[in-house]
PDB file of all heavy atoms in Angstrom:
ATOM      1  N   TYR A 552      18.098  24.968  11.828  1.00  0.00           N
ATOM      2  CA  TYR A 552      18.818  24.474  10.657  1.00  0.00           C
ATOM      3  C   TYR A 552      17.929  24.231   9.440  1.00  0.00           C
ATOM      4  O   TYR A 552      18.343  24.392   8.304  1.00  0.00           O
ATOM      5  CB  TYR A 552      19.540  23.179  11.035  1.00  0.00           C
ATOM      6  CG  TYR A 552      20.292  22.536   9.900  1.00  0.00           C
ATOM      7  CD1 TYR A 552      21.377  23.174   9.303  1.00  0.00           C
ATOM      8  CD2 TYR A 552      19.920  21.271   9.422  1.00  0.00           C
ATOM      9  CE1 TYR A 552      22.079  22.576   8.260  1.00  0.00           C
ATOM     10  CE2 TYR A 552      20.616  20.672   8.392  1.00  0.00           C
ATOM     11  CZ  TYR A 552      21.690  21.327   7.816  1.00  0.00           C
ATOM     12  OH  TYR A 552      22.380  20.730   6.782  1.00  0.00           O
ATOM     13  N   GLY A 553      16.689  23.802   9.663  1.00  0.00           N
ATOM     14  CA  GLY A 553      15.816  23.498   8.531  1.00  0.00           C
ATOM     15  C   GLY A 553      16.068  22.117   7.959  1.00  0.00           C
ATOM     16  O   GLY A 553      16.360  21.167   8.669  1.00  0.00           O
ATOM     17  N   HIS A 554      15.928  21.995   6.623  1.00  0.00           N
ATOM     18  CA  HIS A 554      16.124  20.737   5.894  1.00  0.00           C
ATOM     19  C   HIS A 554      15.125  19.660   6.332  1.00  0.00           C
ATOM     20  O   HIS A 554      15.506  18.510   6.587  1.00  0.00           O
ATOM     21  CB  HIS A 554      17.560  20.240   6.027  1.00  0.00           C
ATOM     22  CG  HIS A 554      18.555  21.125   5.352  1.00  0.00           C
ATOM     23  ND1 HIS A 554      18.930  20.959   4.037  1.00  0.00           N
ATOM     24  CD2 HIS A 554      19.232  22.224   5.799  1.00  0.00           C
ATOM     25  CE1 HIS A 554      19.792  21.901   3.703  1.00  0.00           C
ATOM     26  NE2 HIS A 554      19.994  22.684   4.751  1.00  0.00           N
ATOM     27  N   ALA A 555      13.851  20.038   6.409  1.00  0.00           N
ATOM     28  CA  ALA A 555      12.806  19.035   6.621  1.00  0.00           C
ATOM     29  C   ALA A 555      12.938  17.962   5.548  1.00  0.00           C
ATOM     30  O   ALA A 555      13.179  18.270   4.377  1.00  0.00           O
ATOM     31  CB  ALA A 555      11.432  19.682   6.552  1.00  0.00           C
ATOM     32  N   LEU A 556      12.760  16.700   5.959  1.00  0.00           N
ATOM     33  CA  LEU A 556      12.989  15.630   4.986  1.00  0.00           C
ATOM     34  C   LEU A 556      12.177  14.382   5.307  1.00  0.00           C
ATOM     35  O   LEU A 556      11.643  14.212   6.406  1.00  0.00           O
ATOM     36  CB  LEU A 556      14.479  15.293   4.901  1.00  0.00           C
ATOM     37  CG  LEU A 556      15.185  14.797   6.170  1.00  0.00           C
ATOM     38  CD1 LEU A 556      14.985  13.291   6.389  1.00  0.00           C
ATOM     39  CD2 LEU A 556      16.668  15.102   6.109  1.00  0.00           C
ATOM     40  N   ILE A 557      12.127  13.526   4.306  1.00  0.00           N
ATOM     41  CA  ILE A 557      11.515  12.201   4.430  1.00  0.00           C
ATOM     42  C   ILE A 557      12.524  11.191   3.909  1.00  0.00           C
ATOM     43  O   ILE A 557      13.069  11.362   2.808  1.00  0.00           O
ATOM     44  CB  ILE A 557      10.217  12.103   3.609  1.00  0.00           C
ATOM     45  CG1 ILE A 557       9.199  13.150   4.091  1.00  0.00           C
ATOM     46  CG2 ILE A 557       9.618  10.696   3.710  1.00  0.00           C
ATOM     47  CD1 ILE A 557       8.006  13.317   3.153  1.00  0.00           C
ATOM     48  N   CYS A 558      12.826  10.161   4.709  1.00  0.00           N
ATOM     49  CA  CYS A 558      13.716   9.114   4.204  1.00  0.00           C
ATOM     50  C   CYS A 558      13.089   7.747   4.395  1.00  0.00           C
ATOM     51  O   CYS A 558      12.187   7.564   5.221  1.00  0.00           O
ATOM     52  CB  CYS A 558      15.112   9.195   4.814  1.00  0.00           C
ATOM     53  SG  CYS A 558      15.221   9.010   6.572  1.00  0.00           S
ATOM     54  N   ASP A 559      13.564   6.796   3.609  1.00  0.00           N
ATOM     55  CA  ASP A 559      12.974   5.466   3.604  1.00  0.00           C
ATOM     56  C   ASP A 559      13.728   4.524   4.545  1.00  0.00           C
ATOM     57  O   ASP A 559      14.736   4.911   5.156  1.00  0.00           O
ATOM     58  CB  ASP A 559      12.894   4.923   2.178  1.00  0.00           C
ATOM     59  CG  ASP A 559      14.242   4.525   1.594  1.00  0.00           C
ATOM     60  OD1 ASP A 559      15.253   4.495   2.323  1.00  0.00           O
ATOM     61  OD2 ASP A 559      14.286   4.238   0.385  1.00  0.00           O
ATOM     62  N   PRO A 560      13.264   3.275   4.698  1.00  0.00           N
ATOM     63  CA  PRO A 560      13.893   2.354   5.653  1.00  0.00           C
ATOM     64  C   PRO A 560      15.327   1.955   5.306  1.00  0.00           C
ATOM     65  O   PRO A 560      16.009   1.350   6.145  1.00  0.00           O
ATOM     66  CB  PRO A 560      12.970   1.133   5.621  1.00  0.00           C
ATOM     67  CG  PRO A 560      11.656   1.645   5.157  1.00  0.00           C
ATOM     68  CD  PRO A 560      11.998   2.718   4.173  1.00  0.00           C
ATOM     69  N   TRP A 561      15.792   2.278   4.101  1.00  0.00           N
ATOM     70  CA  TRP A 561      17.172   2.013   3.730  1.00  0.00           C
ATOM     71  C   TRP A 561      18.062   3.204   4.066  1.00  0.00           C
ATOM     72  O   TRP A 561      19.274   3.157   3.890  1.00  0.00           O
ATOM     73  CB  TRP A 561      17.252   1.664   2.251  1.00  0.00           C
ATOM     74  CG  TRP A 561      18.521   1.006   1.828  1.00  0.00           C
ATOM     75  CD1 TRP A 561      19.517   1.540   1.075  1.00  0.00           C
ATOM     76  CD2 TRP A 561      18.948  -0.329   2.145  1.00  0.00           C
ATOM     77  NE1 TRP A 561      20.542   0.638   0.891  1.00  0.00           N
ATOM     78  CE2 TRP A 561      20.213  -0.531   1.544  1.00  0.00           C
ATOM     79  CE3 TRP A 561      18.377  -1.382   2.876  1.00  0.00           C
ATOM     80  CZ2 TRP A 561      20.907  -1.724   1.650  1.00  0.00           C
ATOM     81  CZ3 TRP A 561      19.071  -2.570   2.980  1.00  0.00           C
ATOM     82  CH2 TRP A 561      20.322  -2.739   2.379  1.00  0.00           C
ATOM     83  N   GLY A 562      17.458   4.289   4.528  1.00  0.00           N
ATOM     84  CA  GLY A 562      18.196   5.503   4.855  1.00  0.00           C
ATOM     85  C   GLY A 562      18.339   6.459   3.688  1.00  0.00           C
ATOM     86  O   GLY A 562      19.072   7.452   3.784  1.00  0.00           O
ATOM     87  N   THR A 563      17.643   6.202   2.601  1.00  0.00           N
ATOM     88  CA  THR A 563      17.696   7.073   1.425  1.00  0.00           C
ATOM     89  C   THR A 563      16.753   8.257   1.604  1.00  0.00           C
ATOM     90  O   THR A 563      15.578   8.063   1.954  1.00  0.00           O
ATOM     91  CB  THR A 563      17.296   6.304   0.158  1.00  0.00           C
ATOM     92  OG1 THR A 563      18.175   5.194  -0.003  1.00  0.00           O
ATOM     93  CG2 THR A 563      17.360   7.196  -1.065  1.00  0.00           C
ATOM     94  N   ILE A 564      17.245   9.466   1.389  1.00  0.00           N
ATOM     95  CA  ILE A 564      16.397  10.648   1.486  1.00  0.00           C
ATOM     96  C   ILE A 564      15.545  10.743   0.231  1.00  0.00           C
ATOM     97  O   ILE A 564      16.060  10.854  -0.887  1.00  0.00           O
ATOM     98  CB  ILE A 564      17.245  11.923   1.674  1.00  0.00           C
ATOM     99  CG1 ILE A 564      17.989  11.850   3.016  1.00  0.00           C
ATOM    100  CG2 ILE A 564      16.367  13.173   1.615  1.00  0.00           C
ATOM    101  CD1 ILE A 564      18.957  12.988   3.239  1.00  0.00           C
ATOM    102  N   LEU A 565      14.237  10.694   0.405  1.00  0.00           N
ATOM    103  CA  LEU A 565      13.297  10.706  -0.707  1.00  0.00           C
ATOM    104  C   LEU A 565      12.885  12.121  -1.103  1.00  0.00           C
ATOM    105  O   LEU A 565      12.591  12.374  -2.274  1.00  0.00           O
ATOM    106  CB  LEU A 565      12.036   9.901  -0.347  1.00  0.00           C
ATOM    107  CG  LEU A 565      12.251   8.447   0.060  1.00  0.00           C
ATOM    108  CD1 LEU A 565      10.919   7.823   0.460  1.00  0.00           C
ATOM    109  CD2 LEU A 565      12.887   7.656  -1.077  1.00  0.00           C
ATOM    110  N   ALA A 566      12.828  13.022  -0.134  1.00  0.00           N
ATOM    111  CA  ALA A 566      12.418  14.400  -0.395  1.00  0.00           C
ATOM    112  C   ALA A 566      12.975  15.277   0.711  1.00  0.00           C
ATOM    113  O   ALA A 566      13.083  14.837   1.866  1.00  0.00           O
ATOM    114  CB  ALA A 566      10.896  14.512  -0.438  1.00  0.00           C
ATOM    115  N   GLU A 567      13.334  16.512   0.353  1.00  0.00           N
ATOM    116  CA  GLU A 567      13.943  17.416   1.332  1.00  0.00           C
ATOM    117  C   GLU A 567      13.633  18.859   0.953  1.00  0.00           C
ATOM    118  O   GLU A 567      13.652  19.216  -0.233  1.00  0.00           O
ATOM    119  CB  GLU A 567      15.452  17.202   1.381  1.00  0.00           C
ATOM    120  CG  GLU A 567      16.178  18.059   2.393  1.00  0.00           C
ATOM    121  CD  GLU A 567      17.655  17.716   2.506  1.00  0.00           C
ATOM    122  OE1 GLU A 567      18.088  16.715   1.889  1.00  0.00           O
ATOM    123  OE2 GLU A 567      18.383  18.448   3.211  1.00  0.00           O
ATOM    124  N   CYS A 568      13.354  19.677   1.942  1.00  0.00           N
ATOM    125  CA  CYS A 568      13.103  21.098   1.703  1.00  0.00           C
ATOM    126  C   CYS A 568      14.413  21.820   1.440  1.00  0.00           C
ATOM    127  O   CYS A 568      15.461  21.460   1.989  1.00  0.00           O
ATOM    128  CB  CYS A 568      12.409  21.737   2.899  1.00  0.00           C
ATOM    129  SG  CYS A 568      10.682  21.241   3.090  1.00  0.00           S
ATOM    130  N   GLY A 569      14.339  22.869   0.635  1.00  0.00           N
ATOM    131  CA  GLY A 569      15.494  23.721   0.405  1.00  0.00           C
ATOM    132  C   GLY A 569      15.547  24.831   1.440  1.00  0.00           C
ATOM    133  O   GLY A 569      15.250  24.622   2.612  1.00  0.00           O
ATOM    134  N   GLU A 570      15.903  26.027   1.001  1.00  0.00           N
ATOM    135  CA  GLU A 570      15.983  27.163   1.919  1.00  0.00           C
ATOM    136  C   GLU A 570      14.592  27.743   2.160  1.00  0.00           C
ATOM    137  O   GLU A 570      13.730  27.724   1.278  1.00  0.00           O
ATOM    138  CB  GLU A 570      16.894  28.245   1.321  1.00  0.00           C
ATOM    139  CG  GLU A 570      18.336  27.812   1.125  1.00  0.00           C
ATOM    140  CD  GLU A 570      19.023  27.474   2.431  1.00  0.00           C
ATOM    141  OE1 GLU A 570      18.781  28.185   3.422  1.00  0.00           O
ATOM    142  OE2 GLU A 570      19.801  26.501   2.455  1.00  0.00           O
ATOM    143  N   GLY A 571      14.387  28.276   3.338  1.00  0.00           N
ATOM    144  CA  GLY A 571      13.148  28.980   3.638  1.00  0.00           C
ATOM    145  C   GLY A 571      11.971  28.061   3.897  1.00  0.00           C
ATOM    146  O   GLY A 571      12.108  26.844   4.021  1.00  0.00           O
TER     147      GLY A 571
END
Side-chain angles (χ1 to χ4, degrees):
Y552 178 64
H554 293 270
L556 60 83
I557 300 168
C558 61
D559 72 9
W561 196 251
T563 302
I564 296 174
L565 303 177
E567 182 174 353
C568 288
E570 297 297 321

